[in-house]
Amino acid sequence: MKKIIKYCFGLIIVCAAFYAAIPPKSELKAQTVKRVPTSEMEVKLSYAPIVREATPAVVNIYTKRVVKTRVSPFMNDPFFSRFFGGRSSVPRERIERSLGSGVIVKTDGVIVTNHHVIDGADEITVSLSDRREFEAEVILKDESTDLAVLRIKPKGEPLTAI
């Protein structure tokens, strides 16, 4: 019984501390007002320097995959083929392209992206912020967390990582 009382008392203390840490509504409204920085110091305190530093680590990811379209079995029938221009029953192929983004996490070329970006891709190309392009290989992928890890092999200088 004493343990339950101590537990409840501790829980009340923690809740009270959280409640005390929440600023009043008037302060919350004052914090959400957006304005443009007016001095150099305010610019330095904004996100601009962080974005400038992180941008080289952000990459574009281009994927290609060959998709075979199934042709209807009715195309082999002479009656139906008259209506559809006599198309053959040979499956057609088309290339499906997609674009996504990722972030370089290691200077040797390890990149984190979403699984749905590379899902089913036959070819993956990574484009850096300086316009260099590299073929990428999938190291790890997990559909349930929608994460994928890629590797590119940069030649020369190390890459900028986040």
Side-chain angles (χ1 to χ4, degrees):
M1 188 66 169
K2 286 183 180 182
K3 284 185 180 181
I4 294 173
I5 293 172
K6 284 182 183 179
Y7 176 76
C8 290
F9 184 70
L11 190 60
I12 291 169
I13 298 282
V14 170
C15 290
F18 278 123
Y19 182 74
I22 298 172
K25 283 186 179 181
S26 60
E27 286 183 32
L28 285 176
K29 286 182 182 178
Q31 291 174 358
T32 59
V33 175
K34 295 179 182 179
R35 63 181 186 84
V36 176
T38 57
S39 69
E40 187 178 336
M41 181 57 101
E42 287 181 352
V43 170
K44 287 182 179 179
L45 293 174
S46 75
Y47 290 113
I50 297 167
V51 170
R52 191 176 313 114
E53 191 174 328
T55 298
V58 178
V59 298
N60 285 327
I61 299 172
Y62 301 94
T63 62
K64 285 185 196 175
R65 73 177 183 169
V66 177
V67 179
K68 294 182 180 183
T69 56
R70 235 179 93 202
V71 179
S72 172
F74 295 113
M75 290 299 128
N76 290 335
D77 188 311
F79 176 76
F80 288 109
S81 67
R82 280 189 288 157
F83 294 109
F84 298 105
R87 296 182 192 148
S88 68
S89 63
V90 177
R92 291 190 224 154
E93 291 183 352
R94 64 181 171 87
I95 295 177
E96 188 176 272
R97 301 172 194 269
S98 64
L99 170 66
S101 62
V103 178
I104 301 171
V105 292
K106 287 185 74 180
T107 58
D108 64 346
V110 176
I111 297 167
V112 174
T113 187
N114 293 105
H115 178 270
H116 70 265
V117 170
I118 56 102
D119 190 28
D122 297 321
E123 194 177 309
I124 303 170
T125 304
V126 173
S127 177
L128 305 180
S129 62
D130 62 5
R131 306 225 185 249
R132 290 185 291 165
E133 291 188 353
F134 299 95
E135 292 296 315
E137 64 175 319
V138 178
I139 298 174
L140 299 168
K141 60 182 180 177
D142 182 30
E143 187 175 4
S144 64
T145 58
D146 194 27
L147 287 175
V149 180
L150 310 176
R151 180 185 306 276
I152 60 173
K153 295 179 180 166
K155 298 169 185 89
E157 62 190 63
L159 303 172
T160 303
I162 195 92

